[in-house]
Amino acid sequence: MQSANTPPQESFKRTMKVRHLVMLSLGGVIGTGLFFNTGYIISTTGAAGTLLAYLIGALVVWLVMACLGELAVAMPETGAFHVYAARYLSPATGYTVAWLYWLTWTVALGSSLTAAGFCMQYWFPTVPVWLWCLVFCLAIYLLNIISTRFFAEGEFWFSVIKVVTIIAFIVLGGAAMFGFIPLKDGSAAPGLHNLTASGWLPHGTLPILMTMVAVNFAFSGTELIGIAAGETEDPQKALPLAIRTTVARLIIFFVGTVFVLAALIPMDQAGIVKSPFVLVFEKIGIPWSADIFNFVILTAILSAANSGLYASGRMLWSLANENTLPRCFARVNRRGIPVLAITISMLGGLLALFSSVIAPDTVFVALSAISGFAVVAVWLSICASHYVFRRRYVRAGKDIRQLAWRAPFYPVVPVLGFVLCLLACVGLAFDPSQRIALWCGIPFVLLCYAAYYVTRRRKPLKTQESNHAA
C-alpha cells in the first residue's frame, strides 16, 4: 500500500518516445553556451586549444552519460540523479544536488526570457522587452502544463530548427573555409591557416583548464535524459538508444561547429561582445543573415527555457517526493503534470529577470557563474553515484550481466569522469573572471547541507514512529 506521505511515481505519464528524449537533450544543450561562450574560449585558448578543450568536454559528456545511462536504465525515476545521489551518496547530498540543479535552470530560465525579449526588439524596436518576456513566459508555461507529450512535441520542433541550422552552418562555413563560397571582403579562403596562426597553444595549457567549466556548461543539458526517465515509454530500450545517439550527435555538432568557427575567426577577433556565429555570417555575407540568425538564436533561447522549466519543475517535485519539501509540490494533475512545482519554478524565472535591471554587472554574473559551477557539481554526483551503485550491486552477490545496460570499462569511466569534472572546478580558481563561481557556489553548497540537517532534524523520529505504526 502506498504511503500517505509519498506521492506515487506512477502518477507521471510515460508518454515520451526516443525522438522526444534525444531532442529534449539536444535542445537543452544547443543554446547560449555554444552560440556565445565559444568566442570567449577561442580568445582565451586559441583555435587549437579550443578544439582540444571541446574534445575533452566531449569525453567528459560521454563518461557522465555512460554513468547516468546505467543508473537510469536500472532505476528509471523522475528526478534521476538527485534520487541516485540521495540513495548512494547521502540524503543531504541528494538534497543539495537537487537544489543546485533547480537553481541552475531557474536562473537560466529568467535570463533566457530576457534575451528572447531583446531578440524580438530587433524586429519590433518600439515594443518594450518586458512585454515579450511575459508573452514567452506564458507560451513556455502552457507548453509545460498542458501535457508532457505536448511539451515534448514542442521541444522536438524547437530543437529541429537548431539542429538543421547547426548542420547548415557547418556546411556553409566549411565551404567558405576552402573557397567554395567567396568571402564578403574578397580575401582568400583561410583554409586551416587560422588554426595555428597564433601558435598551437599561444598561452600554454593553463587556459584550457581555466575554460573547462565554460566548455562543460556548453555541453550541459545532456543529463535531461535522466530527468525524463520516469516519463519515458519502455525506458530499458529508449534510454540507451537516446544516450548513444545524443552523445554521438553532440560530438559531431560541437566539434564540427567549433572547428569551422576556429578556422574562420582569428584569435584576436574572437570574444563575447558578439556571437562568433554572427562574425562568420558577416564574413560570408549571406543575404538576410542577421535576420536568419536572430531567429535561430530566438528559437535556441526559447528551447533552452522550455527545457529549463521542465527540469526545474521536476526537481521541485522530486524534492517533495522525497519528503524534503511540503507534499503539495509533489501533487500532479490528472494528466500527470506537477503544476504547482512548475508554477513556482516559473516564478523563480520571473524573479531572475530583475537581475537585468537591478544589478546586471553583479547579480547576473554571479548567478551565471553559479549555474556553471552547479552543472559540473551535478556531473560529479552522477559519476560518484554510479561508482557506489556498481560496488553495492556486486557486493550484494548480483551478476552484472543482469543489468539491462552497463557502462563500459568500470571503474575507469566513473573515476575518470569524476576527476575531469573536479579539475574543471579547480580551473575556476585560476581565472579571475570566473572565480566568482567558487566564491558563490561553495557557500551555496554548504548552505544546502546545513538547511538539510536543520529541516530534517526531527524527521527521523517521525519516520520511526510511522514505521512502528505500520
Side-chain angles (χ1 to χ4, degrees):
M1 185 174 178
Q2 192 76 22
S3 170
N5 294 323
T6 306
Q9 175 74 22
E10 290 75 21
S11 55
F12 275 111
K13 308 296 183 184
R14 293 189 179 274
T15 56
M16 288 199 189
K17 301 181 183 298
V18 173
R19 69 184 180 92
H20 293 141
L21 276 181
V22 172
M23 285 304 182
L24 172 63
S25 184
L26 289 176
V29 176
I30 302 175
T32 53
L34 178 62
F35 288 137
F36 291 99
N37 281 10
T38 306
Y40 158 74
I41 298 169
I42 292 174
S43 66
T44 304
T45 66
T50 300
L51 278 172
L52 181 58
Y54 270 94
L55 285 170
I56 295 172
L59 172 63
V60 173
V61 167
W62 180 79
L63 294 170
V64 172
M65 292 302 291
C67 295
L68 180 59
E70 181 173 314
L71 290 167
V73 171
M75 299 163 288
E77 300 189 44
T78 298
F81 36 83
H82 144 63
V83 178
Y84 307 143
R87 188 173 299 170
Y88 296 106
L89 301 178
S90 73
T93 301
Y95 177 85
T96 302
V97 165
W99 276 117
L100 281 168
Y101 203 65
W102 178 83
L103 182 69
T104 296
W105 281 106
T106 302
V107 171
L109 177 62
S111 59
S112 294
L113 291 172
T114 305
F118 284 121
C119 285
M120 291 303 296
Q121 206 171 42
Y122 176 83
W123 292 304
F124 305 98
T126 59
V127 180
V129 171
W130 66 265
L131 185 58
W132 291 116
C133 290
L134 290 179
V135 170
F136 291 130
C137 177
L138 180 62
I140 297 299
Y141 181 72
L142 290 176
L143 277 176
N144 274 266
I145 67 168
I146 291 176
S147 75
T148 301
R149 180 65 178 270
F150 192 62
F151 155 80
E153 202 66 40
E155 184 57 31
F156 176 82
W157 291 109
F158 271 142
S159 300
V160 164
I161 295 173
K162 287 194 288 188
V163 169
V164 170
T165 303
I166 291 295
I167 294 173
F169 173 81
I170 293 173
V171 172
L172 294 173
M177 280 172 54
F178 298 105
F180 296 106
I181 296 178
L183 297 180
K184 187 177 181 179
D185 60 3
S187 60
L192 304 179
H193 171 72
N194 287 332
L195 293 177
T196 56
S198 302
W200 286 99
L201 298 171
H203 301 303
T205 57
L206 182 60
I208 296 177
L209 177 64
M210 289 163 47
T211 57
M212 281 314 302
V213 162
V215 171
N216 290 337
F217 185 66
F219 277 111
S220 66
T222 48
E223 68 285 334
L224 283 170
I225 288 178
I227 292 235
E231 298 171 74
T232 304
E233 291 182 358
D234 196 4
Q236 280 71 26
K237 292 183 179 179
L239 289 172
L241 179 59
I243 287 171
R244 285 195 299 269
T245 54
T246 298
V247 173
R249 292 176 188 181
L250 280 178
I251 291 173
I252 294 171
F253 291 159
F254 271 64
V255 175
T257 300
V258 170
F259 178 78
V260 173
L261 288 172
L264 288 174
I265 303 175
M267 180 179 175
D268 58 355
Q269 295 181 20
I272 58 175
V273 176
K274 185 182 292 186
S275 168
F277 287 78
V278 174
L279 288 174
V280 168
F281 278 113
E282 287 178 348
K283 284 178 175 290
I284 297 176
I286 297 176
W288 304 102
S289 59
D291 292 276
I292 293 171
F293 206 74
N294 193 58
F295 175 74
V296 171
I297 292 177
L298 176 63
T299 57
I301 289 167
L302 293 177
S303 175
N306 198 32
S307 300
L309 183 57
Y310 174 88
S312 55
R314 265 53 179 186
M315 273 299 167
L316 279 189
W317 176 91
S318 192
L319 282 166
N321 192 55
E322 298 295 312
N323 294 323
T324 52
L325 282 181
R327 186 188 171 190
C328 59
F329 289 102
R331 290 175 183 157
V332 298
N333 62 16
R334 55 188 176 84
R335 294 187 301 275
I337 306 297
V339 176
L340 181 60
I342 289 175
T343 302
I344 295 299
S345 295
M346 177 55 81
L347 291 176
L350 289 175
L351 289 174
L353 291 175
F354 289 105
S355 67
S356 64
V357 177
I358 297 172
D361 295 330
T362 54
V363 176
F364 184 78
V365 172
L367 293 176
S368 298
I370 290 174
S371 296
F373 174 85
V375 167
V376 178
V378 169
W379 288 6
L380 280 167
S381 76
I382 292 172
C383 295
S385 297
H386 173 248
Y387 179 82
V388 176
F389 163 75
R390 181 75 77 87
R391 283 174 60 88
R392 290 187 186 177
Y393 192 88
V394 173
R395 194 181 301 139
K398 299 178 181 178
D399 188 345
I400 62 171
R401 289 175 294 183
Q402 295 176 347
L403 292 170
W405 193 74
R406 300 189 301 275
F409 310 118
Y410 180 89
V412 174
V413 164
V415 171
L416 182 59
F418 187 92
V419 170
L420 289 176
C421 288
L422 189 61
L423 283 175
C425 293
V426 172
L428 290 172
F430 295 94
D431 187 353
S433 63
Q434 296 188 87
R435 199 173 293 151
I436 192 172
L438 295 178
W439 293 117
C440 296
I442 293 176
F444 182 81
V445 170
L446 296 176
L447 180 63
C448 287
Y449 272 98
Y452 175 83
Y453 287 113
V454 169
T455 57
R456 299 285 289 181
R457 184 175 297 165
R458 297 190 182 96
K459 290 191 177 181
L461 294 176
K462 294 182 180 180
T463 303
Q464 289 174 8
E465 290 172 3
S466 61
N467 289 339
H468 287 308

